[in-house]
Structures are given as structure tokens and as C-alpha cells.
Amino acid sequence: MGRVLRHGPAGYHAMKHHYPEDLPLSEEDQAALDAAQTEYDELAELIESGMADDEAEAKLSELEKRIDTLNARSEAYSVEALEQAGTFVFLDYYGRLAIERGFVKPGEGLSGILCGGP
């Protein structure tokens, strides 16, 4: 299921949208993801209980980045989607960089590519 673009560029809501396809992680990547998630959960619990050391927040941030990197490997756009769709790069409502992929201009069909809605 795709994310909902809340404060995107004008006209995006009228566009068709490709979504990335799920890919299985390799055994190595899945093991690394499971280990990182376990470590993250344990560290977050220590922080919440006040038992963590001074470097815990930095470690938690690094674990979050590792988890995000591994999760990014679990989905990809098809070749057809990459050929047809474009990307919006903009600042969101809060001034943060936002990148939304998979949008197809109205009138440029999806040529039978499976796409879904939010």
C-alpha cells in the first residue's frame, strides 16, 4: 500500500501512481534486519526506563538508519514503472525534504502495469 501525499505539488492528486513491488530479503539481510530491530527495541526500552548511557540516543539513531536501509531493499519499482513514472522532490508542510515516486502524468497510460491507490 502506498503512502498518502498530504502536502504535495499541485495536480499530483489527478495523476495515476505506480507503487513499488515487494521483494524478499536475502537470508543475510533478513537476519541483519531482525538483529538490528531487536537491538533497537532493547535500546529504546533502556532509554524509556532511564537506564541507558549517554551514547544511547546516537546508537538508536544509527540503528534506525540501518533498519531503514535494510527495509529499502525489500521493495523496488518495476522497469516499466521506471520508464513511465516520474518523481516529485519538494519541501513538505514542515519544511523537510520529501521525495514521492511513481507518478504518471494524466493521459499517459500505465500500459497494463498494476497500480493501486492509498
Side-chain angles (χ1 to χ4, degrees):
M1 182 184 292
R3 294 179 292 161
V4 176
L5 198 67
R6 300 199 192 292
H7 302 287
Y12 78 90
H13 59 285
M15 295 182 169
K16 294 181 180 177
H17 193 178
H18 286 280
Y19 292 93
E21 299 171 5
D22 291 334
L23 300 173
L25 288 175
S26 69
E27 287 183 28
E28 181 179 309
D29 284 347
Q30 186 62 56
L33 177 60
D34 293 344
Q37 188 64 57
T38 298
E39 188 177 350
Y40 179 93
D41 293 344
E42 291 170 356
L43 190 55
E45 192 174 309
L46 285 174
I47 291 171
E48 286 180 26
S49 68
M51 303 294 289
D53 61 20
D54 294 339
E55 297 176 14
E57 292 290 337
K59 290 177 189 175
L60 198 67
S61 179
E62 288 302 315
L63 284 167
E64 189 172 303
K65 288 177 189 174
R66 188 177 333 157
I67 290 168
D68 288 345
T69 298
L70 290 164
N71 278 328
R73 295 179 186 172
S74 68
E75 62 182 28
Y77 288 92
S78 69
V79 172
E80 293 85 2
L82 292 173
E83 290 173 353
Q84 293 178 354
T87 302
F88 286 114
V89 178
F90 60 97
L91 296 177
D92 72 7
Y93 180 80
Y94 301 102
R96 297 175 300 213
L97 179 65
I99 301 171
E100 294 293 336
R101 297 172 176 88
F103 288 93
V104 179
K105 290 181 185 177
E108 295 184 18
L110 293 176
S111 301
I113 300 301
L114 177 65
C115 62

